[in-house]
mmCIF file of all heavy atoms in Angstrom:
data_model
loop_
_atom_site.group_PDB
_atom_site.id
_atom_site.type_symbol
_atom_site.label_atom_id
_atom_site.label_comp_id
_atom_site.label_asym_id
_atom_site.label_seq_id
_atom_site.Cartn_x
_atom_site.Cartn_y
_atom_site.Cartn_z
ATOM 1 N N LYS A 1 -26.824 13.895 38.683
ATOM 2 C CA LYS A 1 -26.912 13.149 37.362
ATOM 3 C C LYS A 1 -26.444 14.017 36.171
ATOM 4 O O LYS A 1 -27.179 14.141 35.215
ATOM 5 C CB LYS A 1 -28.475 12.738 37.075
ATOM 6 C CG LYS A 1 -28.949 11.718 38.103
ATOM 7 C CD LYS A 1 -30.334 11.225 37.839
ATOM 8 C CE LYS A 1 -30.755 10.101 38.664
ATOM 9 N NZ LYS A 1 -31.018 10.234 39.806
ATOM 10 N N VAL A 2 -25.400 14.734 36.440
ATOM 11 C CA VAL A 2 -24.697 15.439 35.368
ATOM 12 C C VAL A 2 -23.258 14.917 35.156
ATOM 13 O O VAL A 2 -22.744 14.308 36.121
ATOM 14 C CB VAL A 2 -24.678 16.914 35.675
ATOM 15 C CG1 VAL A 2 -26.088 17.521 35.604
ATOM 16 C CG2 VAL A 2 -23.975 17.365 36.950
ATOM 17 N N SER A 3 -22.666 15.172 34.076
ATOM 18 C CA SER A 3 -21.363 14.733 33.770
ATOM 19 C C SER A 3 -20.296 15.780 34.171
ATOM 20 O O SER A 3 -20.544 17.045 34.122
ATOM 21 C CB SER A 3 -21.089 14.501 32.226
ATOM 22 O OG SER A 3 -19.846 14.128 32.034
ATOM 23 N N VAL A 4 -19.094 15.290 34.737
ATOM 24 C CA VAL A 4 -18.155 16.216 35.174
ATOM 25 C C VAL A 4 -17.481 16.895 34.008
ATOM 26 O O VAL A 4 -16.689 17.803 34.154
ATOM 27 C CB VAL A 4 -17.126 15.502 35.943
ATOM 28 C CG1 VAL A 4 -17.651 14.995 37.361
ATOM 29 C CG2 VAL A 4 -16.460 14.275 35.272
ATOM 30 N N ASP A 5 -17.688 16.281 32.786
ATOM 31 C CA ASP A 5 -17.150 16.886 31.664
ATOM 32 C C ASP A 5 -17.930 17.987 30.946
ATOM 33 O O ASP A 5 -17.713 18.512 29.913
ATOM 34 C CB ASP A 5 -16.903 15.767 30.520
ATOM 35 C CG ASP A 5 -15.833 14.779 31.047
ATOM 36 O OD1 ASP A 5 -14.834 15.206 31.586
ATOM 37 O OD2 ASP A 5 -16.075 13.605 30.845
ATOM 38 N N THR A 6 -19.173 18.302 31.506
ATOM 39 C CA THR A 6 -20.097 19.296 30.980
ATOM 40 C C THR A 6 -19.470 20.668 31.391
ATOM 41 O O THR A 6 -19.104 21.009 32.474
ATOM 42 C CB THR A 6 -21.418 19.187 31.576
ATOM 43 O OG1 THR A 6 -21.931 17.863 31.487
ATOM 44 C CG2 THR A 6 -22.454 20.211 31.039
ATOM 45 N N PRO A 7 -19.344 21.625 30.284
ATOM 46 C CA PRO A 7 -18.900 22.936 30.539
ATOM 47 C C PRO A 7 -19.646 23.675 31.685
ATOM 48 O O PRO A 7 -20.935 23.349 31.876
ATOM 49 C CB PRO A 7 -18.955 23.702 29.217
ATOM 50 C CG PRO A 7 -19.025 22.613 28.280
ATOM 51 C CD PRO A 7 -19.733 21.405 28.891
ATOM 52 N N TRP A 8 -19.019 24.510 32.493
ATOM 53 C CA TRP A 8 -19.700 25.147 33.581
ATOM 54 C C TRP A 8 -20.845 25.884 33.177
ATOM 55 O O TRP A 8 -21.959 26.037 33.835
ATOM 56 C CB TRP A 8 -18.663 25.976 34.299
ATOM 57 C CG TRP A 8 -19.254 26.950 35.464
ATOM 58 C CD1 TRP A 8 -19.737 28.153 35.411
ATOM 59 C CD2 TRP A 8 -19.504 26.383 36.754
ATOM 60 N NE1 TRP A 8 -20.282 28.579 36.564
ATOM 61 C CE2 TRP A 8 -19.997 27.541 37.434
ATOM 62 C CE3 TRP A 8 -19.241 25.253 37.531
ATOM 63 C CZ2 TRP A 8 -20.443 27.445 38.693
ATOM 64 C CZ3 TRP A 8 -19.659 25.133 38.831
ATOM 65 C CH2 TRP A 8 -20.233 26.280 39.439
ATOM 66 N N GLU A 9 -20.788 26.643 31.934
ATOM 67 C CA GLU A 9 -21.843 27.477 31.564
ATOM 68 C C GLU A 9 -23.041 26.647 31.071
ATOM 69 O O GLU A 9 -24.126 27.197 30.916
ATOM 70 C CB GLU A 9 -21.377 28.357 30.360
ATOM 71 C CG GLU A 9 -20.699 27.562 29.216
ATOM 72 C CD GLU A 9 -20.107 28.403 28.183
ATOM 73 O OE1 GLU A 9 -20.033 29.668 28.394
ATOM 74 O OE2 GLU A 9 -19.549 27.866 27.134
ATOM 75 N N ASP A 10 -22.853 25.302 30.785
ATOM 76 C CA ASP A 10 -24.000 24.471 30.270
ATOM 77 C C ASP A 10 -24.618 23.693 31.463
ATOM 78 O O ASP A 10 -25.618 23.006 31.259
ATOM 79 C CB ASP A 10 -23.389 23.434 29.235
ATOM 80 C CG ASP A 10 -23.004 24.259 27.907
ATOM 81 O OD1 ASP A 10 -23.528 25.333 27.753
ATOM 82 O OD2 ASP A 10 -22.122 23.670 27.305
ATOM 83 N N LEU A 11 -24.000 23.856 32.767
ATOM 84 C CA LEU A 11 -24.619 23.135 33.837
ATOM 85 C C LEU A 11 -25.924 23.785 34.197
ATOM 86 O O LEU A 11 -26.162 24.947 34.172
ATOM 87 C CB LEU A 11 -23.706 23.233 35.050
ATOM 88 C CG LEU A 11 -22.361 22.295 34.928
ATOM 89 C CD1 LEU A 11 -21.471 22.464 36.139
ATOM 90 C CD2 LEU A 11 -22.729 20.733 34.844
ATOM 91 N N PRO A 12 -26.891 22.914 34.761
ATOM 92 C CA PRO A 12 -28.181 23.537 35.213
ATOM 93 C C PRO A 12 -27.921 24.568 36.302
ATOM 94 O O PRO A 12 -26.975 24.256 37.032
ATOM 95 C CB PRO A 12 -28.983 22.263 35.664
ATOM 96 C CG PRO A 12 -28.409 21.173 34.821
ATOM 97 C CD PRO A 12 -26.926 21.473 34.779
ATOM 98 N N PRO A 13 -28.726 25.580 36.463
ATOM 99 C CA PRO A 13 -28.481 26.499 37.492
ATOM 100 C C PRO A 13 -28.447 25.969 38.878
ATOM 101 O O PRO A 13 -27.783 26.383 39.774
ATOM 102 C CB PRO A 13 -29.665 27.532 37.353
ATOM 103 C CG PRO A 13 -30.072 27.337 35.880
ATOM 104 C CD PRO A 13 -29.891 25.928 35.619
ATOM 105 N N ARG A 14 -29.352 24.954 39.120
ATOM 106 C CA ARG A 14 -29.326 24.260 40.436
ATOM 107 C C ARG A 14 -28.079 23.638 40.862
ATOM 108 O O ARG A 14 -27.652 23.542 42.033
ATOM 109 C CB ARG A 14 -30.468 23.363 40.551
ATOM 110 C CG ARG A 14 -30.515 22.113 39.753
ATOM 111 C CD ARG A 14 -31.779 21.356 39.705
ATOM 112 N NE ARG A 14 -31.630 20.067 38.974
ATOM 113 C CZ ARG A 14 -31.414 18.918 39.570
ATOM 114 N NH1 ARG A 14 -31.215 18.737 40.813
ATOM 115 N NH2 ARG A 14 -31.246 17.868 38.719
ATOM 116 N N VAL A 15 -27.323 23.034 39.766
ATOM 117 C CA VAL A 15 -26.063 22.411 40.077
ATOM 118 C C VAL A 15 -24.982 23.512 40.416
ATOM 119 O O VAL A 15 -24.238 23.345 41.285
ATOM 120 C CB VAL A 15 -25.641 21.530 38.793
ATOM 121 C CG1 VAL A 15 -24.234 20.868 39.032
ATOM 122 C CG2 VAL A 15 -26.715 20.541 38.547
ATOM 123 N N ARG A 16 -24.966 24.585 39.680
ATOM 124 C CA ARG A 16 -24.081 25.664 39.929
ATOM 125 C C ARG A 16 -24.259 26.264 41.275
ATOM 126 O O ARG A 16 -23.351 26.596 42.035
ATOM 127 C CB ARG A 16 -24.101 26.753 38.758
ATOM 128 C CG ARG A 16 -23.498 26.204 37.464
ATOM 129 C CD ARG A 16 -23.614 27.317 36.471
ATOM 130 N NE ARG A 16 -24.891 27.576 35.917
ATOM 131 C CZ ARG A 16 -25.204 28.398 35.030
ATOM 132 N NH1 ARG A 16 -24.309 29.089 34.402
ATOM 133 N NH2 ARG A 16 -26.530 28.603 34.727
ATOM 134 N N ARG A 17 -25.568 26.367 41.637
ATOM 135 C CA ARG A 17 -25.740 26.985 42.954
ATOM 136 C C ARG A 17 -25.391 25.925 44.103
ATOM 137 O O ARG A 17 -24.851 26.362 45.162
ATOM 138 C CB ARG A 17 -27.394 27.157 43.233
ATOM 139 C CG ARG A 17 -27.806 28.381 42.446
ATOM 140 C CD ARG A 17 -29.183 28.718 42.955
ATOM 141 N NE ARG A 17 -30.195 27.739 42.738
ATOM 142 C CZ ARG A 17 -30.946 27.585 41.738
ATOM 143 N NH1 ARG A 17 -30.847 28.445 40.665
ATOM 144 N NH2 ARG A 17 -31.796 26.570 41.584
ATOM 145 N N ALA A 18 -25.500 24.580 43.814
ATOM 146 C CA ALA A 18 -25.041 23.681 44.861
ATOM 147 C C ALA A 18 -23.487 23.681 44.998
ATOM 148 O O ALA A 18 -22.925 23.580 46.142
ATOM 149 C CB ALA A 18 -25.351 22.137 44.327
ATOM 150 N N PHE A 19 -22.740 24.031 43.940
ATOM 151 C CA PHE A 19 -21.199 24.102 44.100
ATOM 152 C C PHE A 19 -20.920 25.468 44.785
ATOM 153 O O PHE A 19 -19.931 25.367 45.667
ATOM 154 C CB PHE A 19 -20.604 24.082 42.706
ATOM 155 C CG PHE A 19 -20.285 22.624 42.272
ATOM 156 C CD1 PHE A 19 -21.085 22.086 41.270
ATOM 157 C CD2 PHE A 19 -19.271 22.024 42.675
ATOM 158 C CE1 PHE A 19 -20.880 20.769 40.820
ATOM 159 C CE2 PHE A 19 -18.955 20.685 42.269
ATOM 160 C CZ PHE A 19 -19.765 20.117 41.319
ATOM 161 N N LEU A 20 -21.651 26.526 44.571
ATOM 162 C CA LEU A 20 -21.182 27.770 45.124
ATOM 163 C C LEU A 20 -21.947 28.170 46.477
ATOM 164 O O LEU A 20 -21.283 28.750 47.304
ATOM 165 C CB LEU A 20 -21.635 28.911 44.107
ATOM 166 C CG LEU A 20 -20.830 28.838 42.691
ATOM 167 C CD1 LEU A 20 -21.355 29.918 41.891
ATOM 168 C CD2 LEU A 20 -19.421 28.971 42.882
ATOM 169 N N ASP A 21 -23.169 27.732 46.681
ATOM 170 C CA ASP A 21 -23.950 28.101 47.813
ATOM 171 C C ASP A 21 -24.401 26.980 48.717
ATOM 172 O O ASP A 21 -25.128 27.201 49.661
ATOM 173 C CB ASP A 21 -25.127 28.864 47.403
ATOM 174 C CG ASP A 21 -24.751 30.098 46.595
ATOM 175 O OD1 ASP A 21 -23.686 30.711 46.938
ATOM 176 O OD2 ASP A 21 -25.525 30.501 45.628
ATOM 177 N N GLY A 22 -24.046 25.742 48.407
ATOM 178 C CA GLY A 22 -24.679 24.583 49.037
ATOM 179 C C GLY A 22 -25.922 24.108 48.593
ATOM 180 O O GLY A 22 -26.323 24.494 47.483
ATOM 181 N N MET A 23 -26.615 23.237 49.348
ATOM 182 C CA MET A 23 -27.838 22.651 48.767
ATOM 183 C C MET A 23 -29.093 23.452 48.958
ATOM 184 O O MET A 23 -30.223 22.941 48.588
ATOM 185 C CB MET A 23 -27.977 21.288 49.492
ATOM 186 C CG MET A 23 -26.877 20.285 49.270
ATOM 187 S SD MET A 23 -26.654 19.883 47.590
ATOM 188 C CE MET A 23 -28.150 19.036 47.111
ATOM 189 N N GLY A 24 -28.937 24.653 49.477
ATOM 190 C CA GLY A 24 -30.127 25.502 49.513
ATOM 191 C C GLY A 24 -31.214 24.978 50.455
ATOM 192 O O GLY A 24 -30.857 24.426 51.694
ATOM 193 N N ASP A 25 -32.469 24.897 50.145
ATOM 194 C CA ASP A 25 -33.524 24.495 50.990
ATOM 195 C C ASP A 25 -33.834 23.029 50.856
ATOM 196 O O ASP A 25 -34.727 22.451 51.330
ATOM 197 C CB ASP A 25 -34.878 25.281 50.724
ATOM 198 C CG ASP A 25 -35.280 25.096 49.239
ATOM 199 O OD1 ASP A 25 -34.508 24.568 48.391
ATOM 200 O OD2 ASP A 25 -36.311 25.755 48.998
ATOM 201 N N GLN A 26 -32.851 22.248 50.167
ATOM 202 C CA GLN A 26 -33.030 20.733 50.088
ATOM 203 C C GLN A 26 -32.487 20.187 51.368
ATOM 204 O O GLN A 26 -31.214 20.284 51.562
ATOM 205 C CB GLN A 26 -32.210 20.300 48.904
ATOM 206 C CG GLN A 26 -32.462 18.696 48.732
ATOM 207 C CD GLN A 26 -31.795 18.299 47.368
ATOM 208 O OE1 GLN A 26 -31.553 19.089 46.546
ATOM 209 N NE2 GLN A 26 -31.522 17.050 47.280
ATOM 210 N N ASN A 27 -33.335 19.734 52.183
ATOM 211 C CA ASN A 27 -32.983 19.307 53.458
ATOM 212 C C ASN A 27 -32.063 18.129 53.612
ATOM 213 O O ASN A 27 -31.277 17.866 54.481
ATOM 214 C CB ASN A 27 -34.219 19.143 54.377
ATOM 215 C CG ASN A 27 -34.865 20.546 54.662
ATOM 216 O OD1 ASN A 27 -34.393 21.526 54.650
ATOM 217 N ND2 ASN A 27 -36.278 20.420 54.714
ATOM 218 N N GLU A 28 -32.230 17.110 52.659
ATOM 219 C CA GLU A 28 -31.541 15.975 52.786
ATOM 220 C C GLU A 28 -31.363 15.242 51.381
ATOM 221 O O GLU A 28 -32.186 15.369 50.494
ATOM 222 C CB GLU A 28 -32.097 14.964 53.806
ATOM 223 C CG GLU A 28 -33.354 14.448 53.533
ATOM 224 C CD GLU A 28 -33.960 13.565 54.471
ATOM 225 O OE1 GLU A 28 -33.565 13.716 55.612
ATOM 226 O OE2 GLU A 28 -34.801 12.708 54.213
ATOM 227 N N PHE A 29 -30.405 14.481 51.207
ATOM 228 C CA PHE A 29 -30.173 13.639 50.097
ATOM 229 C C PHE A 29 -29.331 12.422 50.495
ATOM 230 O O PHE A 29 -28.528 12.511 51.412
ATOM 231 C CB PHE A 29 -29.510 14.405 48.878
ATOM 232 C CG PHE A 29 -28.131 14.884 49.065
ATOM 233 C CD1 PHE A 29 -27.065 14.078 48.730
ATOM 234 C CD2 PHE A 29 -27.926 16.132 49.589
ATOM 235 C CE1 PHE A 29 -25.818 14.496 49.005
ATOM 236 C CE2 PHE A 29 -26.652 16.519 49.850
ATOM 237 C CZ PHE A 29 -25.553 15.722 49.487
ATOM 238 N N ARG A 30 -29.466 11.353 49.706
ATOM 239 C CA ARG A 30 -28.720 10.062 49.930
ATOM 240 C C ARG A 30 -27.761 9.890 48.876
ATOM 241 O O ARG A 30 -27.923 10.284 47.742
ATOM 242 C CB ARG A 30 -29.684 8.933 50.103
ATOM 243 C CG ARG A 30 -30.648 8.990 51.298
ATOM 244 C CD ARG A 30 -31.544 7.670 51.394
ATOM 245 N NE ARG A 30 -32.409 7.966 52.511
ATOM 246 C CZ ARG A 30 -32.217 7.612 53.726
ATOM 247 N NH1 ARG A 30 -31.004 7.045 54.042
ATOM 248 N NH2 ARG A 30 -33.026 7.712 54.723
ATOM 249 N N SER A 31 -26.653 9.306 49.124
ATOM 250 C CA SER A 31 -25.657 8.944 48.253
ATOM 251 C C SER A 31 -26.259 7.736 47.337
ATOM 252 O O SER A 31 -27.148 7.094 47.651
ATOM 253 C CB SER A 31 -24.411 8.531 48.786
ATOM 254 O OG SER A 31 -24.509 7.338 49.588
ATOM 255 N N THR A 32 -25.619 7.645 46.110
ATOM 256 C CA THR A 32 -26.184 6.609 45.252
ATOM 257 C C THR A 32 -25.688 5.267 45.614
ATOM 258 O O THR A 32 -26.326 4.305 45.338
ATOM 259 C CB THR A 32 -25.496 6.815 43.886
ATOM 260 O OG1 THR A 32 -24.057 7.010 43.897
ATOM 261 C CG2 THR A 32 -25.958 8.211 43.274
ATOM 262 N N ASN A 33 -24.745 5.108 46.518
ATOM 263 C CA ASN A 33 -24.375 3.851 47.166
ATOM 264 C C ASN A 33 -24.716 3.759 48.608
ATOM 265 O O ASN A 33 -23.898 3.850 49.460
ATOM 266 C CB ASN A 33 -22.883 3.582 46.900
ATOM 267 C CG ASN A 33 -22.391 2.158 47.318
ATOM 268 O OD1 ASN A 33 -23.155 1.315 47.646
ATOM 269 N ND2 ASN A 33 -21.105 1.925 47.035
ATOM 270 N N GLN A 34 -26.026 3.709 48.911
ATOM 271 C CA GLN A 34 -26.496 3.713 50.231
ATOM 272 C C GLN A 34 -26.054 2.456 51.048
ATOM 273 O O GLN A 34 -25.970 2.487 52.268
ATOM 274 C CB GLN A 34 -27.998 3.854 50.259
ATOM 275 C CG GLN A 34 -28.393 5.236 49.723
ATOM 276 C CD GLN A 34 -29.892 5.493 49.834
ATOM 277 O OE1 GLN A 34 -30.583 4.849 50.608
ATOM 278 N NE2 GLN A 34 -30.349 6.418 49.230
ATOM 279 N N SER A 35 -25.971 1.343 50.292
ATOM 280 C CA SER A 35 -25.668 0.014 51.084
ATOM 281 C C SER A 35 -24.233 0.105 51.704
ATOM 282 O O SER A 35 -23.984 -0.371 52.823
ATOM 283 C CB SER A 35 -25.633 -0.955 50.045
ATOM 284 O OG SER A 35 -24.674 -0.779 49.006
ATOM 285 N N SER A 36 -23.282 0.894 51.113
ATOM 286 C CA SER A 36 -21.922 1.093 51.647
ATOM 287 C C SER A 36 -21.850 2.146 52.539
ATOM 288 O O SER A 36 -21.041 2.167 53.480
ATOM 289 C CB SER A 36 -20.881 1.007 50.610
ATOM 290 O OG SER A 36 -21.088 2.049 49.729
ATOM 291 N N MET A 37 -22.606 3.337 52.299
ATOM 292 C CA MET A 37 -22.270 4.464 52.960
ATOM 293 C C MET A 37 -23.353 4.804 54.015
ATOM 294 O O MET A 37 -23.093 5.403 55.035
ATOM 295 C CB MET A 37 -22.352 5.698 51.901
ATOM 296 C CG MET A 37 -21.211 5.613 50.818
ATOM 297 S SD MET A 37 -19.661 5.435 51.553
ATOM 298 C CE MET A 37 -19.526 6.942 52.468
ATOM 299 N N GLY A 38 -24.529 4.333 53.830
ATOM 300 C CA GLY A 38 -25.518 4.372 54.831
ATOM 301 C C GLY A 38 -26.232 5.734 55.041
ATOM 302 O O GLY A 38 -27.048 6.078 54.154
ATOM 303 N N ALA A 39 -25.845 6.489 55.971
ATOM 304 C CA ALA A 39 -26.646 7.527 56.516
ATOM 305 C C ALA A 39 -26.925 8.675 55.590
ATOM 306 O O ALA A 39 -26.377 8.798 54.371
ATOM 307 C CB ALA A 39 -25.906 8.111 57.769
ATOM 308 N N VAL A 40 -27.651 9.715 55.948
ATOM 309 C CA VAL A 40 -28.104 10.785 55.224
ATOM 310 C C VAL A 40 -27.203 12.007 55.545
ATOM 311 O O VAL A 40 -26.919 12.279 56.766
ATOM 312 C CB VAL A 40 -29.522 11.157 55.532
ATOM 313 C CG1 VAL A 40 -29.986 12.356 54.790
ATOM 314 C CG2 VAL A 40 -30.436 9.928 55.063
ATOM 315 N N ALA A 41 -26.756 12.748 54.616
ATOM 316 C CA ALA A 41 -25.992 13.931 54.773
ATOM 317 C C ALA A 41 -27.034 15.046 54.715
ATOM 318 O O ALA A 41 -27.681 15.221 53.692
ATOM 319 C CB ALA A 41 -24.831 14.160 53.720
#
């Protein structure tokens, strides 16, 4: 829930960690369009 136009330095730390290191200890998340995509990554 962040904008792609937000400067990198203004992104929350958890978002920057997701880009650089993956999702960390967050075991699962669903896409916003679950009806079309279905499963859990």
Side-chain angles (χ1 to χ4, degrees):
K1 298 182 172 74
V2 296
S3 174
V4 293
D5 298 318
T6 304
W8 176 265
E9 58 188 2
D10 296 334
L11 289 175
R14 65 188 185 98
V15 179
R16 288 182 288 183
R17 286 196 301 269
F19 275 100
L20 298 177
D21 302 324
M23 298 302 295
D25 57 357
Q26 184 174 341
N27 291 327
E28 63 181 27
F29 64 89
R30 296 181 181 273
S31 66
T32 56
N33 190 0
Q34 295 183 16
S35 61
S36 61
M37 302 304 298
V40 177

